[in-house]
Amino acid sequence: MPILETKKITKHFDGVYAIDGLSVGFEEGKITGLIGPNGSGKSTLINLLTGTFPFDKGSVVFSSSEEVKELLPYEVSDYGITRTFQDVRLFEQMPVIDNILVVLTKRNVVSSLFEKHKKFHLDKAEEVLKKVNLWEKRDELAVNLSYGQRKLLEIGRILAMSDGFGNNSNIFFFDEPFAGLFPEMRKIVIGVIEHLKQQGKTVVLVEHNIDIIRELCDHVIVLDNGKLLAEGTPDEALAKREVMDAYLGE
Amino acid sequence: MAKNNSIILKIVAGLVVLAVLYFGGNAVFNNNTSETGPIKIGYIGPLTGPSAVLGMDAVKAVEIAVSEANAKGGIDGRQIELLIEDDQYLTKNTVSAYDKLVHTDKVKILLVASYGGMFAVKDRALRDDVLIINPLDCNKDVADADKNILCLATETESIGRVLAGQMLDEGRETAGIMYSTKDTFMALVADSFKKAFEAKGGKVLVESFNYEDDDFRTQILKLKEMEVFVLLGHDEVGLIMKQVGTLGMDKPFFTTGTITSPVAQELAGGNEEDTVFAFWEADAKNQKAKEFNDKFTKLVGRGPILSLTTHPAYDVVKILTDVVLPKTKSTDADKVKAELLKVVNYEGVTGKVTFSKEGLAPIQEKAFRLMGGVPVKI
Amino acid sequence: MEYLIHIGILIGIYSILALSLNLTVGFTGLLSITQAAFYGIGAYVTAILLTSYGMNFFLSILVGMFISGVISFIIGFVLSRFDGDYFALGSFGFNIIVYSIFLNWQSLTRGPLGIPGISKPELFGLDFNENIVFLGLVTIFALLAYLLSEFIVNSSFGRVLKAIREDEKVIQVYGYNTLFYKLTIFVIGATFASIAGAFFASYITYVDPSSFALSESIFILAIIILGGLANNKGAVLGAFCLIILPELLRFVGFSSDIAAQMRQVTYGLILVLLMLYRPQGLLGEYKL
């Protein structure tokens, strides 16, 4: 049963269709890989589903049968959606621990003014940072971290969204989380994704590395030119002629 | 980073302690209001900033007066010390300058040129027994302000009255006023003109403009039905005159002495001819004024830009050094004021000076016409 | 000593202004050039209520805060449509509009003639006519402003403000309706500024539009940049430095011919040097 489905969703920029009448679904509790050549619309799709851009046409349906024609950025987390960014967007001039705490705290202006640091916030932040190996760096400003550490911090941030304090996120969009990471760091990220699956969360993974796709994903959606090219299990999808052509044509 | 911050804070704390010791010690030990040190006179006015023209020449005039007095041996052997502070015509700076001169330098007689600043310090002057003399603006508000504020200056209201009077003499019935909001002065002139003109049945429409504006067509068009344009501003008045011409209107202009500025006339591009304006200049037969002008030119390299800033300031100091202080032998505000109020028909560079019992010695402006770039008395 | 007390009072007033601006610019990243407008509104409200209606000073502060609060809520809402440079331009425009109102609504403000004769505060028979007592009062309010600012920025709310400064789009995706946060801090900043205005009016005893022009907003911005953005101690230190510096220069022995001009040059030079060698400001860690 798809937890999230798009219905003929369309987005164009200056006449070029980045996403063209796309209807796809993401199964609950599964890891879905979202692949395709450069410019196929993978990041655009994530941006549409996380409120970064409005969609021109179409709608999004949630498992609750709620259909929406518009997603505002600060509403997406109410639908349980969270994400990382391809270009790693952290709160640079804030310490590592604050990057985590800010997603753990109340989303309400008045309550957040009077909210004190509760022990469980700090405990949760510690747990998350230890998972991504950044606890030692907790007082360091995010801008001073290495590239790999920055990616891990972003992963840690959305991990912190998963356990009920900030919001109980259950749909996780990872936008090329493995790019530029050393093997040890990759293992950490894989560990996080598998942990999320164990918790019954839904993961959507945009990734170029086919081995990782085969290793992690239950289902694969292949996009090309903003349209659905193929879908199925990793083996099924990747074996299709049109998929191979699309990648070779790259 | 934290270490740097704590060093910085320690340095600041150290400076604060030093300052308190210096000023506190000064207050306790240094009571130089003694009868043997120099006699101090202070001047606060705009020496820099957009209104600098109102103060920079006045300061030279005051310096000349002081050096003349000192050359004659001062007062009973005591030299006059002139202390000058710049306030950029900004009220809070006038207050700072006042506090510095009165409480640190122990000055009891101040010339204050900034209109708003004068109001800001008037209560302080009363409390501190300080006498304030305004050498730039003399008007009803100054008179009402305080018993410790006197003035020897062109009377702002006279400008409005002179212009209104001339207009009424010419049989004009309607006037469009455009005034600059750069400082209080032009607003006061606009106000006094309006009162004087309306009192005799004239009709007035008023528009204002910002000092930095260079397009006045909106205001000009709003006033186009009026017979005469009354332009109250600085060099930009020339620009307004030009734009009136460009819009195809042929209106007589009435303005203030700022039209004598070569820049204003150049901007007007010929439209300034025949303009009526309120102006004050020293009487050509006034020998003292001639001598002063020569001394000024020798010191500064040119004549004063605006005589209404220099001549009254010069006369204020001359009256103090030649008439008042030799009698009082001190700068006690009450004594000095009492002697000033006794001054009748002192022959100064501004003409014959008499202080009224409220402490005003206003200088009346007169109507002139600009002919060939030269002011001609009407 | 009176002179020092005077400087102390100005430092107190400008500290409140700097703290207020730091909340919006330093911590939230909203490049606001509106502070002089709310400062002026507070000053004029106090001036008018005290001279025309004999109202108590402390009550006039509350009225000023309310009026500033309402206006800043509306303006903040309008300006929130814009980002970065456009926000700055819009706030610039608002400052100019308010200045024009001070200048032209003459039946209310007396325009360029200003409002003289504003009295000092009075409370339960205790008057604040003595400058040293007034200094005490200003210091108390400045301290309260500092403590309140610290409370705000160290709370979860403050953390969200910093995240908005860093990357507003991202913090929205994590579930924050940033408009409410920006509006709230903008209103808080405006009400602080109006308190400073009330003190200014009562202390100087005279208000006129020239004290609240655009240049004043820029001066307050310079204070927090010099002191260090996003640092409340820095805001106070910046106020201290920029108020003291021109006063100190009065004592430097330039020849009287050029003293005034030399002071301006020296002042400018010192600021330029400070920015060259410490661009993050004296106590700052964050560069604009």
Side-chain angles (χ1 to χ4, degrees):
Chain A
M1 156 90 210
I3 192 172
L4 172 66
E5 248 188 293
T6 71
K7 264 184 166 179
K8 294 214 176 81
I9 198 171
T10 301
K11 177 70 186 171
H12 61 81
F13 295 107
D14 293 332
V16 176
Y17 279 87
I19 295 286
D20 194 0
L22 187 66
S23 298
V24 288
F26 300 101
E27 289 295 318
E28 185 169 4
K30 302 261 186 276
I31 300 175
T32 303
L34 187 58
I35 65 173
N38 280 335
S40 53
K42 311 185 291 294
S43 284
T44 309
L45 180 61
I46 298 194
N47 284 335
L48 290 177
L49 295 175
T50 55
T52 306
F53 301 133
F55 20 104
D56 298 329
K57 275 193 246 185
S59 58
V60 173
V61 182
F62 295 96
S63 59
S64 54
S65 305
E66 195 183 339
E67 182 171 350
V68 296
K69 289 197 170 6
E70 187 191 36
L71 274 173
L72 292 172
Y74 54 84
E75 285 175 342
V76 300
S77 65
D78 288 340
Y79 293 109
I81 296 174
T82 187
R83 68 168 294 178
T84 67
F85 294 84
Q86 189 180 21
D87 51 351
V88 187
R89 289 164 75 168
L90 299 171
F91 304 123
E92 303 287 351
Q93 303 273 359
M94 285 166 67
V96 164
I97 191 161
D98 276 1
N99 271 266
I100 303 296
L101 285 172
V102 78
V103 304
L104 290 178
T105 48
K106 284 202 172 55
R107 300 303 196 267
N108 175 283
V109 168
V110 177
S111 339
S112 65
L113 205 43
F114 297 99
E115 186 176 52
K116 290 238 167 290
H117 266 141
K118 306 234 179 12
K119 192 170 178 300
F120 57 79
H121 288 143
L122 291 166
D123 285 347
K124 181 69 189 175
E126 183 176 347
E127 184 195 319
V128 160
L129 285 175
K130 279 183 173 159
K131 250 203 188 76
V132 293
N133 247 2
L134 286 174
W135 179 241
E136 310 293 307
K137 295 269 180 192
R138 62 190 175 279
D139 292 324
E140 191 70 59
L141 289 182
V143 70
N144 294 332
L145 298 179
S146 71
Y147 178 74
Q149 288 169 331
R150 290 159 59 79
K151 286 207 98 130
L152 288 177
L153 180 55
E154 231 198 3
I155 306 262
R157 187 166 63 187
I158 68 167
L159 191 57
M161 295 277 285
S162 69
D163 266 337
F165 293 118
N167 257 295
N168 200 354
S169 298
N170 43 33
I171 308 173
F172 290 72
F173 288 95
F174 286 87
D175 198 344
E176 301 196 34
F178 296 98
L181 286 187
F182 288 123
E184 319 83 70
M185 289 178 168
R186 281 205 193 158
K187 281 205 191 96
I188 296 175
V189 180
I190 291 174
V192 165
I193 293 177
E194 284 175 343
H195 170 80
L196 289 172
K197 184 176 173 187
Q198 271 161 27
Q199 291 190 311
K201 309 290 185 183
T202 306
V203 172
V204 177
L205 177 61
V206 170
E207 190 43 61
H208 280 298
N209 186 321
I210 301 297
D211 294 328
I212 292 182
I213 294 288
R214 281 191 211 274
E215 185 189 333
L216 284 179
C217 298
D218 303 309
H219 190 78
V220 163
I221 291 173
V222 188
L223 296 183
D224 191 25
N225 284 324
K227 292 189 171 60
L228 178 66
L229 186 61
E231 68 175 306
T233 65
D235 289 333
E236 282 169 10
L238 291 165
K240 286 194 175 142
R241 171 115 223 148
E242 22 334 345
V243 172
M244 286 195 280
D245 284 346
Y247 269 100
L248 282 170
E250 227 194 350
Chain B
M1 201 43 77
K3 186 168 170 239
N4 272 346
N5 292 354
S6 94
I7 292 172
I8 287 172
L9 283 170
K10 284 191 182 112
I11 293 176
V12 169
L15 285 174
V16 172
V17 169
L18 276 174
V20 172
L21 287 174
Y22 174 77
F23 285 100
N26 214 14
V28 171
F29 295 112
N30 187 4
N31 275 313
N32 228 344
T33 50
S34 68
E35 304 303 313
T36 51
I39 293 189
K40 299 183 185 183
I41 297 178
Y43 175 93
I44 303 175
L47 306 180
T48 56
S51 302
V53 71
L54 298 175
M56 53 190 224
D57 279 356
V59 150
K60 297 285 171 233
V62 171
E63 281 175 3
I64 292 172
V66 166
S67 65
E68 282 173 1
N70 284 337
K72 288 195 228 146
I75 314 276
D76 269 4
R78 292 168 71 190
Q79 290 284 282
I80 315 270
E81 188 184 346
L82 179 64
L83 292 105
I84 301 166
E85 290 296 335
D86 176 21
D87 66 0
Q88 300 196 304
Y89 214 77
L90 289 172
T91 308
K92 81 168 191 290
N93 292 353
T94 315
V95 178
S96 293
Y98 170 94
D99 266 321
K100 188 243 175 199
L101 287 176
V102 169
H103 296 118
T104 306
D105 297 318
K106 312 288 179 212
V107 177
K108 288 289 191 188
I109 303 178
L110 287 177
L111 276 74
V112 175
S114 304
Y115 189 77
M118 179 189 69
F119 282 105
V121 303
K122 68 178 178 76
D123 289 339
R124 289 162 168 79
L126 208 50
R127 183 197 63 202
D128 298 328
D129 280 330
V130 165
L131 193 65
I132 294 183
I133 307 168
N134 190 328
L136 193 57
D137 292 300
C138 228
N139 59 42
K140 185 173 169 303
D141 276 342
V142 174
D144 293 342
D146 214 81
K147 65 179 190 63
N148 273 24
I149 301 190
L150 283 69
C151 60
L152 194 179
T154 48
E155 193 198 359
T156 329
E157 286 103 339
S158 74
I159 301 171
R161 274 202 311 270
V162 157
L163 291 176
Q166 181 61 24
M167 280 189 61
L168 290 163
D169 283 348
E170 289 181 12
R172 310 281 185 187
E173 288 171 355
T174 61
I177 302 177
M178 281 177 63
Y179 76 92
S180 160
T181 53
K182 179 180 169 212
D183 51 50
T184 46
F185 182 74
M186 293 302 170
L188 284 168
V189 174
D191 204 48
S192 72
F193 172 85
K194 189 167 179 271
K195 285 200 177 82
F197 194 59
E198 280 179 340
K200 300 280 188 202
K203 184 167 162 252
V204 160
L205 269 185
V206 185
E207 291 291 327
S208 66
F209 56 88
N210 283 324
Y211 169 62
E212 291 102 352
D213 283 353
D214 53 17
D215 184 352
F216 306 96
R217 288 173 294 179
T218 312
Q219 294 97 323
I220 294 171
L221 287 168
K222 280 189 185 171
L223 298 173
K224 69 178 196 282
E225 301 303 324
M226 311 313 268
E227 275 178 78
V228 169
F229 276 12
V230 179
L231 305 176
L232 306 172
H234 305 85
D235 286 337
E236 70 277 4
V237 162
L239 205 49
I240 299 176
M241 290 178 178
K242 182 121 192 247
Q243 288 176 8
V244 169
T246 316
L247 286 169
M249 293 189 223
D250 184 15
K251 302 274 181 196
F253 297 119
F254 278 57
T255 184
T256 67
T258 51
I259 196 59
T260 55
S261 141
V263 176
Q265 289 180 23
E266 200 184 321
L267 286 169
N271 291 359
E272 75 282 8
E273 188 67 5
D274 272 344
T275 298
V276 173
F277 59 103
F279 190 54
W280 180 83
E281 62 181 8
D283 195 329
K285 296 196 212 91
N286 187 324
Q287 189 56 27
K288 279 189 178 174
K290 265 190 90 242
E291 283 165 16
F292 167 70
N293 213 54
D294 289 339
K295 277 192 185 145
F296 187 97
T297 309
K298 195 160 168 219
L299 179 67
V300 180
R302 55 160 174 82
I305 297 176
L306 276 178
S307 326
L308 57 81
T309 65
T310 49
H311 288 49
Y314 178 80
D315 271 352
V316 166
V317 178
K318 287 300 279 182
I319 292 174
L320 286 170
T321 57
D322 291 356
V323 177
V324 170
L325 292 171
K327 288 197 185 122
T328 63
K329 301 213 195 296
S330 82
T331 54
D332 176 83
D334 288 332
K335 288 185 184 153
V336 171
K337 185 186 166 187
E339 284 304 319
L340 274 170
L341 295 184
K342 289 183 193 157
V343 169
V344 171
N345 286 336
Y346 168 86
E347 298 211 4
V349 301
T350 58
K352 289 201 164 75
V353 179
T354 302
F355 279 91
S356 71
K357 67 176 188 327
E358 292 92 5
L360 277 81
I363 300 168
Q364 303 294 330
E365 297 211 358
K366 299 263 189 308
F368 284 69
R369 194 180 293 278
L370 195 67
M371 292 169 88
V374 171
V376 173
K377 211 171 193 176
I378 295 178
Chain C
M1 266 316 262
E2 278 293 315
Y3 181 51
L4 270 191
I5 293 172
H6 162 77
I7 293 176
I9 292 173
L10 286 182
I11 291 174
I13 292 173
Y14 279 89
S15 292
I16 298 174
L17 282 168
L19 287 165
S20 73
L21 188 63
N22 215 3
L23 289 173
T24 40
V25 176
F27 289 104
T28 317
L30 294 173
L31 188 51
S32 158
I33 313 185
T34 57
Q35 230 55 9
F38 297 113
Y39 179 42
I41 290 172
Y44 268 98
V45 166
T46 291
I48 293 166
L49 290 176
L50 262 56
T51 56
S52 300
Y53 300 96
M55 191 186 270
N56 180 280
F57 171 77
F58 296 97
L59 214 54
S60 79
I61 290 186
L62 290 173
V63 176
M65 284 170 71
F66 176 74
I67 294 176
S68 286
V70 169
I71 295 175
S72 61
F73 184 83
I74 298 169
I75 293 304
F77 190 76
V78 170
L79 290 178
S80 68
R81 302 268 160 249
F82 308 110
D83 272 330
D85 295 343
Y86 296 102
F87 182 93
L89 277 174
S91 69
F92 198 98
F94 170 69
N95 204 143
I96 293 180
I97 289 171
V98 172
Y99 173 75
S100 291
I101 292 175
F102 291 153
L103 214 45
N104 293 300
W105 192 352
Q106 299 199 13
S107 54
L108 186 67
T109 65
R110 292 188 9 126
L113 299 183
I115 302 178
I118 305 165
S119 55
K120 289 276 178 0
E122 209 190 277
L123 193 66
F124 306 130
L126 172 71
D127 76 60
F128 294 85
N129 279 314
E130 286 297 318
N131 278 346
I132 187 128
V133 186
F134 195 88
L135 174 64
L137 185 64
V138 171
T139 307
I140 290 172
F141 272 78
L143 193 61
L144 282 173
Y146 175 80
L147 292 172
L148 197 58
S149 297
E150 284 285 282
F151 175 77
I152 290 172
V153 305
N154 290 323
S155 68
S156 299
F157 176 88
R159 197 180 301 115
V160 177
L161 294 181
K162 291 175 213 169
I164 292 174
R165 177 190 73 202
E166 293 304 310
D167 202 326
E168 187 177 355
K169 261 270 152 30
V170 169
I171 195 65
Q172 283 178 330
V173 167
Y174 292 114
Y176 285 94
N177 189 340
T178 53
L179 174 63
F180 297 155
Y181 287 81
K182 292 194 292 190
L183 263 180
T184 305
I185 202 62
F186 191 71
V187 169
I188 292 176
T191 53
F192 272 34
S194 82
I195 295 173
F199 277 101
F200 177 84
S202 181
Y203 176 61
I204 300 288
T205 70
Y206 170 81
V207 292
D208 73 314
S210 70
S211 302
F212 312 109
L214 198 64
S215 48
E216 193 72 358
S217 280
I218 293 173
F219 177 65
I220 304 166
L221 191 59
I223 288 179
I224 60 169
I225 292 177
L226 180 77
L229 286 170
N231 186 311
N232 286 324
K233 288 197 189 75
V236 175
L237 183 63
F240 180 87
C241 292
L242 282 188
I243 297 289
I244 290 261
L245 190 57
E247 300 302 324
L248 274 178
L249 286 172
R250 289 193 202 277
F251 295 91
V252 175
F254 292 120
S255 132
S256 70
D257 274 358
I258 50 164
Q261 292 81 352
M262 277 310 294
R263 283 176 200 151
Q264 293 296 310
V265 168
T266 311
Y267 179 77
L269 201 60
I270 292 178
L271 287 184
V272 167
L273 286 172
L274 268 165
M275 282 294 101
L276 271 174
Y277 290 105
R278 220 176 143 88
Q280 72 270 45
L282 293 169
L283 295 182
E285 288 134 20
Y286 161 69
K287 294 178 203 170
L288 189 66

